[in-house]
Amino acid sequence: MTTSPDFAEHRTDRTAWRRAEQHFQTVVTALDYGVSVVGSDGRVESSNPAAHRIFGTGPEVLKNRPANRALDFPIYDTNGHLVGADRHPLTQIRQTGIPISDYVFGVDRFDGQRVWLSASYRLLTPDDLPHSAVLVSLTDITAQRTASERLAYEATHDSLTGLPNRAYVVTRVIEALESGGHHVLAAVLFIDLDNLKTINDMFGHDAGDDVLRSAAQRLRRAVRSDDVVARLGGDEFVALLIGQIAHPDLDALADRLHTTLSEPVVIDDVTIRIGASIGIVVVENNDLRGAAQILHDADTAMYEAKATGRGKSYYFTEQLRDRRRGLGRVTSEARGRGQFREFSTPGWS
């Protein structure tokens, strides 16, 4: 039996095609990043082992589940908000035909763990937009995002107490001043612990750190759920009261802070008592002050509270600001005339 040259050539072409297809399949299977093909009906037609590992399931689950349309998998934007069908990248590419690269989203695996992915979307037949399948490539960036979130957290939080730090406070005050409704900034309390230096000198800095951690926990428990307690540094804390609060309730909250801070702290069988001086700034609607000025005014009120006796609160007023400015001018003039020796020279009489 003689084989025609045309048939032999066709068989050779088919063999070469199968080999190329097998080679391509081997490459796709070996890839470290996930690859899925989503048909024009939105169903997942195929996916490689890396995609199965990313979603924590096997190929039979992805292909045979009752609702295996890609849009049926909820995804979340970088702020953790659910992405609606109209904003889904599969919807976008089918409407525009424009490839999408480096789209970051979160998705919950079948075991409940949320992973973060960077994805690219390409039409397989761009000239036939209504019927084209979409090639989706997926890279798991969960580890990188976790590391990035950790760095962001460390940049905005105090390592000793776990509270937000000064940078966080400034940002939050700015945001609260620009917002309204339930998230309006109602007041700022500047809280300075009394006698922390004495505790450090008598019992050591480890004891002082324990006192700071205890104070941080007590302050968080004493404020309202939406309020923010932060440590500015050293023995200074601040409380941002988020949401409207009546003046009597503000008084009661300040008293509650004094009460909780004055409770004894027991460290290594040693009972330590602390207190605080609190400066209070009420933030009115349409307040013209910026974040820095509000925090400065709260600091000014705190020093006035400390001057009237430890363990006290003091409300900031414009008169207090004017008086402090006047005192500053007098101090500068006295320093220029050399009349400040009694405050700097021990034993001067």
Side-chain angles (χ1 to χ4, degrees):
M1 180 176 179
T2 304
T3 303
S4 69
D6 290 343
F7 179 79
E9 182 179 356
H10 178 69
R11 185 171 61 181
T12 301
D13 289 343
R14 289 181 59 188
T15 300
W17 175 259
R18 283 198 300 270
R19 287 177 178 174
E21 188 177 27
Q22 291 172 354
H23 179 72
F24 178 77
Q25 185 64 42
T26 300
V27 171
V28 172
T29 301
L31 290 174
D32 290 331
Y33 58 87
V35 175
S36 293
V37 175
V38 180
S40 58
D41 60 355
R43 300 174 68 87
V44 179
E45 295 181 349
S46 62
S47 53
N48 70 343
H52 306 151
R53 291 194 298 271
I54 289 173
F55 289 100
T57 187
E60 69 283 353
V61 176
L62 283 178
K63 295 187 68 175
N64 298 327
R65 65 193 299 262
N68 72 330
R69 282 170 40 87
L71 289 177
D72 293 331
F73 291 89
I75 66 173
Y76 303 87
D77 63 23
T78 53
N79 294 318
H81 300 141
L82 183 66
V83 176
D86 59 325
R87 296 192 298 122
H88 198 289
L90 284 172
T91 303
Q92 296 296 316
I93 194 172
R94 292 199 180 283
Q95 290 177 345
T96 66
I98 301 174
I100 299 173
S101 299
D102 303 322
Y103 181 86
V104 176
F105 65 92
V107 63
D108 293 333
R109 288 163 41 107
F110 281 80
D111 60 6
Q113 177 188 353
R114 179 163 298 182
V115 293
W116 291 92
L117 310 176
S118 177
S120 295
Y121 299 78
R122 299 288 187 276
L123 294 174
L124 288 181
T125 51
D127 296 335
D128 188 13
L129 183 60
H131 304 99
S132 176
V134 178
L135 177 67
V136 184
S137 59
L138 307 160
T139 302
D140 189 337
I141 60 169
T142 305
Q144 298 94 308
R145 181 178 172 89
T146 300
S148 177
E149 289 176 341
R150 169 55 57 182
L151 290 174
Y153 179 88
E154 292 175 351
T156 56
H157 285 75
D158 172 51
S159 60
L160 178 64
T161 63
L163 293 178
N165 61 13
R166 182 183 295 271
Y168 181 97
V169 166
V170 172
T171 300
R172 189 61 188 274
V173 170
I174 292 173
E175 292 175 348
L177 289 174
E178 295 174 350
S179 67
H182 297 297
H183 300 290
V184 67
L185 180 65
V188 175
L189 281 64
F190 201 111
I191 306 158
D192 185 87
L193 299 185
D194 297 328
N195 301 321
L196 183 64
K197 183 179 185 304
T198 301
I199 294 171
N200 286 331
D201 293 342
M202 292 182 62
F203 305 105
H205 286 275
D206 287 344
D209 289 347
D210 288 339
V211 168
L212 287 169
R213 281 188 285 262
S214 176
Q217 294 171 3
R218 295 180 181 187
L219 290 171
R220 276 188 293 198
R221 290 195 299 263
V223 298
R224 303 171 305 173
S225 59
D226 289 338
D227 297 335
V228 176
V229 173
R231 182 186 177 211
L232 300 185
D235 54 4
E236 296 178 340
F237 295 81
V238 68
L240 308 180
L241 304 192
I242 307 299
Q244 295 292 349
I245 184 170
H247 200 288
D249 295 330
L250 180 53
D251 288 339
L253 190 149
D255 290 341
R256 189 162 67 245
L257 294 180
H258 283 297
T259 299
T260 190
L261 289 174
S262 65
E263 295 174 357
V265 181
V266 179
I267 301 174
D268 295 333
D269 297 326
V270 176
T271 299
I272 299 174
R273 295 185 179 275
I274 60 173
S277 300
I278 301 178
I280 304 173
V281 169
V282 175
V283 181
E284 305 290 350
N285 293 333
N286 301 319
D287 202 304
L288 298 179
R289 291 173 295 181
Q293 186 61 58
I294 290 174
L295 292 171
H296 182 270
D297 290 345
D299 182 43
T300 299
M302 181 275 296
Y303 276 107
E304 192 68 16
K306 193 176 288 290
T308 60
R310 296 178 186 276
K312 302 292 180 61
S313 296
Y314 199 94
Y315 278 86
F316 174 82
T317 63
E318 293 294 333
Q319 291 78 8
L320 173 60
R321 178 189 292 160
D322 294 339
R323 190 165 73 248
R324 299 283 295 188
R325 285 175 177 172
L327 178 60
R329 286 194 296 271
V330 171
T331 301
S332 298
E333 293 172 0
R335 185 177 291 111
R337 294 194 298 268
Q339 294 179 357
F340 238 57
R341 292 178 62 189
E342 65 271 23
F343 295 101
S344 59
T345 305
W348 181 271
S349 59

